[in-house]
Amino acid sequence: MEQGPILSPHILIFPAPGQGHVNSLLKLAELLCLAGFKITFINFQNIHERLVRHTDVEARFSKYYGFQFKTIPGCEAEDPRPADWVRKLFQEMEVKSKPIFKKMVIESNPAVNYIIGDGVMGFVYDVAVEVGIPTIQMHCISACSFWTFFSIPDVVAAHQLPIKGKEDMDRLITEVPGMERFLRCRDLPGGFCQVSHISDPNLFVITKEIRQSQALIINTFEELEGPILSQIRIRYPKIYTIGPLHNHLKTKLRSIEKQESYSSSTSLWEVDRTCITWLDNQPSQSVLYVSFGSITIMTRQQLMEFWHGLVNSKKKFLWVIRPECVINQDGDNLGEIPEQLQEGEKEKGYIVKWAPQEEVLAHKAIGGFLTHCGWNSTLESIVAGVPMICWPYFADQQVNGRFVTEVWKLGLDMNDVCDRGVVEKMVNDLMVDKREEFVKSTARMAELARKSVSEGGSSSSCLNRLIEDIRLMNMKAHGSDTYKDNLS
Ligand code: UDP
């Protein structure tokens, strides 16, 4: 696949230390490998160790010429509240990771020609600018949540924050262009922007990682987020929408390798595949899949409300419960899944600590998804045509949940109420009573997603444009004749 030193630029890709970010950027890395680029993929050490322990990524990527993994020491920030943890993590990165990363870039051999940094790690962009290497921010979140974070200074300037108590949660926020008619206080990013004081240290944590630039990459597709993308284009004239990335990669690999089924895990946890065997024995569209992603923490009480709601709904469910995701009243980790859940109602529910989610969502037995609306989960559900019940937890998830339910009409919103009665009703609405309306909207969106990554589709064309632009930029930097030939 090597195309010579000038046509084959060396690209450095660096994701934030989270499952969703590593997933998206590894997929982008593989797509760029397929285009013949040399990729160095940088991971935080602790993340990389888990990735290698639970997947075959090293073997899989070794087939790409010039691909290498590199690691950078992990950060040690800790806090039981995710938004506080993120704030501390970013502070630590700025102090500790930035200088190490800069040295790595300067000393890189072969020299780095282009840097794709995670949109939530502004320091990567800053280093690239400092050392004079072309760079772009890649946003692993939705366009709608990116745009909300971007617009927060205007929301504050218009005095639409802070939020004045629970009764203020349904007030409309009118300063995010394109969302004036439906974005409520409760839809602002949880943990960061739903503040009761403007001086809250978390308010601008994500916003200040966003850099002003000509271009950016977003893991979304035009047909899903067109109106919001039009708003973003006023500030960022060049946007490469190349999602849904997981489906894009699958489609490309299928067309190249002529493989019907392609599965590639990038999990940081050990995947329990027994749930696929369990699903194989369930009737079509009869099972609700329940997963709150890799970061969500819930109290034992919330867990039990979900449990009773699910059992009372009398629908079958497959539930992912990471043992570290449940805390007791003192905020301490429960460590183990309560026995009651493991023992009771076995014939109705199946619980695993980590599932092969993409495969689960694509399984014919799945009829709905109770989700925290993480962006990867949302896109995976959209591609699989599975309707959602939204229980957003923090960050971008609240905005995603609002778009899923109010704009795209792909599911139901729990409106933050974690109560067994609400869970039971939502499950029955989604799986039975309102099933018809969701079957149509989810099938339509799944088809649009599929088309966008197919040859000639919007995301496929954007990826080609990105590849071409990187090549041209590289040739220009080398002042090559090939570049001049290309222009003439
Ligand atoms: N995931 C998985 N198995 C699980 C739960 C989640 O493979 O049991 C994957 C899921 O497919 C998704 C990612 O983990 O790609 C979670 O990312 P998302 O953006 O949805 O949420 P986050 O974990 O960042 O909150």
Side-chain angles (χ1 to χ4, degrees), residues 89-100 123:
L89 186 72
F90 286 0
Q91 284 164 353
E92 209 182 328
M93 283 181 190
E94 187 67 34
V95 177
K96 283 195 194 163
S97 315
K98 186 177 173 185
I100 301 174
F123 78 87

Side-chain angles (χ1 to χ4, degrees), residues 137-153:
Q137 284 197 305
M138 151 87 190
H139 290 281
C140 303
I141 57 176
S142 56
C144 57
S145 60
F146 164 79
W147 190 229
T148 306
F149 281 120
F150 184 92
S151 305
I152 285 299

Side-chain angles (χ1 to χ4, degrees), residues 14 37 66 137 165 207 250-251 294 323 334 347 469:
F14 192 2
F37 293 171
Q137 284 197 305
T207 306
K250 246 182 217 164
T251 308
S294 63
L334 227 55
E347 73 283 6
D469 287 350

Side-chain angles (χ1 to χ4, degrees), residues 19-20 23 291 293-294 320 354-355 357 372 374-377 380 397:
Q19 178 71 77
N23 278 1
S291 167
S294 63
V320 176
W354 194 254
Q357 182 166 304
H372 71 309
W375 188 235
N376 288 275
S377 297
E380 289 158 15
Q397 298 154 15

Side-chain angles (χ1 to χ4, degrees), residues 34 39 43 51-52 71 80 113 118-119 135 161 173 230 245 247 249 251 324 328 338 351 354 392 400 427 445 452 473:
L34 291 169
I39 305 289
N43 258 329
L51 189 65
V52 168
T71 59
N113 305 114
D118 195 310
T135 183
L161 280 173
I173 295 286
S230 304
L245 268 170
N247 201 30
L249 177 61
T251 308
E324 69 272 20
N328 63 24
I351 295 175
W354 194 254
N400 298 341
V427 174
M445 199 57 93
S452 75
M473 194 180 307

Side-chain angles (χ1 to χ4, degrees), residues 167 240 281 292:
E167 52 295 341
Y240 304 96
N281 293 315
F292 303 114

Side-chain angles (χ1 to χ4, degrees), residues 51 67 201 208 266 299 403 479:
L51 189 65
F67 180 92
K208 74 180 179 43
T266 45
T299 61
F403 272 74

